[in-house]
């Protein structure tokens, strides 16, 4: 019986987009919002959640694979940029006693400089631009 059901489900999903990272993140967000709705009664959240659930299922069962892949690519680009920014913030916080971070005025590369108070000249390793850096604390 389960073999037959599995075969029918596989036939139904043939040519459809299915599950990706955006689907999983949307599902987790849906569950979190649903739990929030249990404790805090927010008007119109149930309607929003119903529309959101239909959008999640629409993406999973869609046959327009290229459009769904493009949506997932944009989402993954956002996730990676957010992770990179958060990683830089945590690294800066860990290095607060020993290093300072400054940007090159030419190429805008973030440089990790030793913490020495005063005015110093430094050279960007990327563009070789020589500039002054003031470190106060």
């Amino acid at each position: 019986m389960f073999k037959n059901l599995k075969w029918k489900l596989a036939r139904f999903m043939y040519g459809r987009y299915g599950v990706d990272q955006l689907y999983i993140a949307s599902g987790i967000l849906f569950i979190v919002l649903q739990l929030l709705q249990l404790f805090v009664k927010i008007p119109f959240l149930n309607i929003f959640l119903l529309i959101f659930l239909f959008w999640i299922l629409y993406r999973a069962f869609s046959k327009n694979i290229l459009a769904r892949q493009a949506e997932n690519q944009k989402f993954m680009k956002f996730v990676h940029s957010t992770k990179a920014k958060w990683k830089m913030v945590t690294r800066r916080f860990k290095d607060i006693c020993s290093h300072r971070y400054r940007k090159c005025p030419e190429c805008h590369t973030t440089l990790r400089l030793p913490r020495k108070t005063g005015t110093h000249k430094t050279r960007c390793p990327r563009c070789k631009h020589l500039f002054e850096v003031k470190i106060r604390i």
Side-chain angles (χ1 to χ4, degrees), residues 67-69 86 90 118 120:
R68 304 296 83 83
Q69 284 176 341
W86 182 250
T90 57
H120 307 283

Side-chain angles (χ1 to χ4, degrees), residues 11-133:
R11 289 287 296 160
F12 175 73
M13 288 303 291
Y14 182 78
R16 298 181 190 274
Y17 187 63
V19 177
D20 61 358
Q21 291 89 354
L22 180 57
Y23 175 87
I24 293 169
S26 300
I28 291 171
L29 180 63
F30 175 79
I31 292 170
V32 168
L33 289 175
Q34 192 69 38
L35 290 173
L36 179 71
Q37 178 65 12
L38 288 174
F39 299 110
V40 182
K41 301 296 182 193
I42 300 173
F44 303 111
L45 186 59
N46 279 334
I47 296 168
F48 171 74
L49 285 172
L50 188 62
I51 293 169
F52 190 54
L53 179 64
F54 281 130
W55 177 77
I56 292 170
L57 294 174
Y58 169 76
R59 283 194 80 254
F61 297 135
S62 175
K63 289 189 175 185
N64 190 352
I65 294 173
L66 292 176
R68 304 296 83 83
Q69 284 176 341
E71 291 170 356
N72 192 47
Q73 289 281 335
K74 287 179 187 175
F75 173 72
M76 292 308 294
K77 187 176 180 182
F78 170 75
V79 167
H80 288 305
S81 67
T82 306
K83 279 184 181 180
K85 286 177 186 175
W86 182 250
K87 189 176 180 180
M88 178 58 93
V89 167
T90 57
R91 185 170 179 195
R92 279 185 173 198
F93 187 72
K94 287 178 184 176
D95 287 345
I96 201 161
C97 293
S98 60
H99 292 86
R100 292 293 182 252
Y101 290 83
R102 299 292 186 262
K103 287 199 175 206
C104 172
E106 288 292 315
C107 65
H108 304 290
T109 301
T110 303
L111 305 175
R112 182 176 178 247
L113 304 171
R115 181 182 167 197
K116 295 179 186 174
T117 57
T119 303
H120 307 283
K121 288 190 176 187
T122 186
R123 186 175 299 275
C124 176
R126 187 174 183 191
C127 68
K128 309 297 187 225
H129 177 69
L130 185 66
F131 61 98
E132 284 191 0
V133 175

